[in-house]
Amino acid sequence: MSADEQELPLQGAGRGADRQDMILDAAFHAFATYGYRRTTMDDIARGVGLSRSALYLHYRNKEDVFRTLADRYFSEAMVAMETALMAPGQTPEQALIAAFVAKDGKFMDVVLGTPHGSELLDAGMNLTRDLADQAEARKISILTRWLVALPMADGIGPPEAVARTIIVSAMGLKFPGQTLNGYREGQRQLARLFARAIAG
């Protein structure tokens, strides 16, 4: 088995997924294994045990599958981020790093851990920019609500502005040549810096 065909866990496997989730799990696996350009509807259909014609009953084309997969990812990421951030008994630093990791799901592991990461990021920028913008606004809203409940240091700025700065800074950790370990270390450093600024 080549590096391009390494076995990757299917997202959502073992959770009683319905047919749509099974198709999206297979698509996630195919995109991670072959990249966006090389993945075909045949690859996705084969991964879920459908004929290509049966797959077309659910999705118009590969772009439609990719956008639906992205929409599912963003929805799940927002729930995971809010749950991690609002968990009781955490320091602000612990809450922020938990939220950073939770919002990534398995996506950043694939982006920074497989040869096709840059291509998947490019495809995401081109095909799902509107979904990503909506998700960014939701992240800012979630962080704002969290910050409102904290005793913030004087002069740091209004909660929404601080939340926007945190999200934009976290996005900046994804750059060409970044490794998964470097990305995670950057998240820990950002969480530490912002938590100390918030606390004053």
Side-chain angles (χ1 to χ4, degrees):
M1 181 177 293
S2 71
D4 276 3
E5 295 178 339
Q6 63 185 307
E7 287 296 324
L8 294 169
L10 294 184
Q11 253 189 350
R15 60 180 182 141
D18 61 13
R19 177 61 60 86
Q20 294 296 326
D21 275 333
M22 291 171 65
I23 292 171
L24 295 178
D25 291 341
F28 180 83
H29 180 74
F31 289 133
T33 302
Y34 304 117
Y36 179 76
R37 287 188 298 272
R38 285 179 55 198
T39 294
T40 66
M41 291 291 274
D42 279 330
D43 294 324
I44 297 169
R46 190 165 46 249
V48 78
L50 293 174
S51 67
R52 185 173 62 172
S53 58
L55 179 59
Y56 277 112
L57 296 176
H58 297 276
Y59 295 99
R60 295 187 304 275
N61 50 39
K62 180 172 68 173
E63 291 81 2
D64 188 23
V65 177
F66 191 87
R67 278 184 58 84
T68 305
L69 181 60
D71 189 50
R72 184 182 76 166
Y73 159 71
F74 286 130
S75 295
E76 292 178 348
M78 295 306 97
V79 172
M81 177 184 172
E82 185 162 21
T83 300
L85 193 64
M86 304 299 184
Q90 301 182 102
T91 65
E93 181 178 339
Q94 290 169 334
L96 279 174
I97 187 58
F100 287 159
V101 173
K103 74 174 176 57
D104 289 339
K106 294 186 181 298
F107 181 70
M108 289 310 297
D109 291 346
V110 170
V111 166
L112 298 177
T114 70
H116 306 294
S118 294
E119 182 191 342
L120 291 175
L121 274 179
D122 288 344
M125 292 291 289
N126 292 329
L127 298 173
T128 67
R129 168 48 59 193
D130 58 325
L131 300 177
D133 288 345
Q134 292 168 20
E136 181 178 336
R138 290 176 62 190
K139 292 174 193 174
I140 292 169
S141 177
I142 290 167
L143 271 177
T144 299
R145 292 198 304 273
W146 175 71
L147 288 167
V148 165
L150 293 179
M152 292 177 59
D154 292 338
I156 193 173
E160 184 175 1
V162 174
R164 186 178 304 279
T165 302
I166 291 172
I167 292 301
V168 171
S169 299
M171 290 171 58
L173 295 172
K174 293 177 284 189
F175 54 82
Q178 175 66 289
T179 65
L180 182 58
N181 286 340
Y183 177 73
R184 294 300 184 205
E185 179 55 36
Q187 287 181 318
R188 287 189 288 271
Q189 185 175 29
L190 272 185
R192 191 177 311 120
L193 289 170
F194 280 113
R196 292 182 181 181
I198 290 165

